[in-house]
Amino acid sequence: MHAHVTRLADIFAMLGGVILFVIVMVTTTNTGAFILDRILAPVGVNVSGLPGYEDFVQLAISGAALMFFPYTQASRGHVAVDLFVANAPMVVKRVLDHMWLILTAAVALFLAYWMINGLLESRSDAAVAGVLGWPIWPFYIPGIASMILWAIVSVSQIFGDARYA
């Protein structure tokens, strides 16, 4: 089970990376258009930027950024302070680690809960992006899924991690 959850976290991170790549490409295109506009303006040629660029980046980054949390948890890439427990008995390290994993799962589920509320409120308000007119609520879904996966990864580490075996 732990291996499958870790693999899913890898897939989420790769999808987040693809979204970030698209954001970079759109940003590069938009910036290139502004540069061309400044270069060609003296000869009477206008090159416009991408309409709704800011909307797209805001909506895309909101999900992509959260898609890395499960991977970071799965690879134990989060900040750990071992200074005070470096010489503690293994049982103390295991108990502290399990407590933090449970707390991490609880925080992730808490965030998912509030994101679900935000999704529902955004949907009921029919909130849309200012320029593009895209509904905002679907962009909550990757973040909610990421928070739930982050919690699952944390819990799976309690039962499947060989770190303190």
Side-chain angles (χ1 to χ4, degrees):
M1 172 73 176
H2 180 66
H4 295 302
V5 170
T6 301
R7 181 70 181 139
L8 187 56
D10 292 344
I11 291 168
F12 262 62
M14 286 188 284
L15 289 173
V18 168
I19 295 169
L20 288 180
F21 179 76
V22 170
I23 291 169
V24 168
M25 295 288 77
V26 168
T27 301
T28 302
T29 302
N30 200 46
T31 303
F34 288 136
I35 291 169
L36 281 175
D37 186 54
R38 288 190 180 141
I39 292 171
L40 299 175
V43 294
V45 177
N46 291 324
V47 180
S48 64
L50 300 172
Y53 159 77
E54 294 87 358
D55 285 352
F56 168 74
V57 171
Q58 179 184 11
L59 293 171
I61 198 67
S62 67
L66 297 176
M67 293 178 83
F68 295 101
F69 280 51
Y71 172 79
T72 303
Q73 181 66 45
S75 61
R76 297 270 187 170
H78 54 283
V79 176
V81 180
D82 291 330
L83 181 64
F84 298 108
V85 295
N87 295 321
M90 191 57 70
V91 69
V92 171
K93 290 180 185 180
R94 185 178 308 120
V95 167
L96 287 174
D97 188 54
H98 288 182
M99 284 175 30
W100 283 115
L101 288 170
I102 291 168
L103 180 63
T104 300
V107 167
L109 291 174
F110 176 78
L111 293 173
Y113 170 78
W114 284 108
M115 289 181 73
I116 290 168
N117 283 337
L119 178 148
L120 295 173
E121 183 175 326
S122 175
R123 187 169 177 205
S124 70
D125 291 346
V128 295
V131 175
L132 294 175
W134 293 351
I136 293 174
W137 71 265
F139 292 90
Y140 278 83
I141 295 170
I144 293 167
S146 297
M147 293 298 100
I148 292 169
L149 180 58
W150 184 20
I152 292 169
V153 168
S154 296
V155 171
S156 77
Q157 286 177 329
I158 293 171
F159 301 107
D161 197 351
R163 185 174 176 187
Y164 295 112

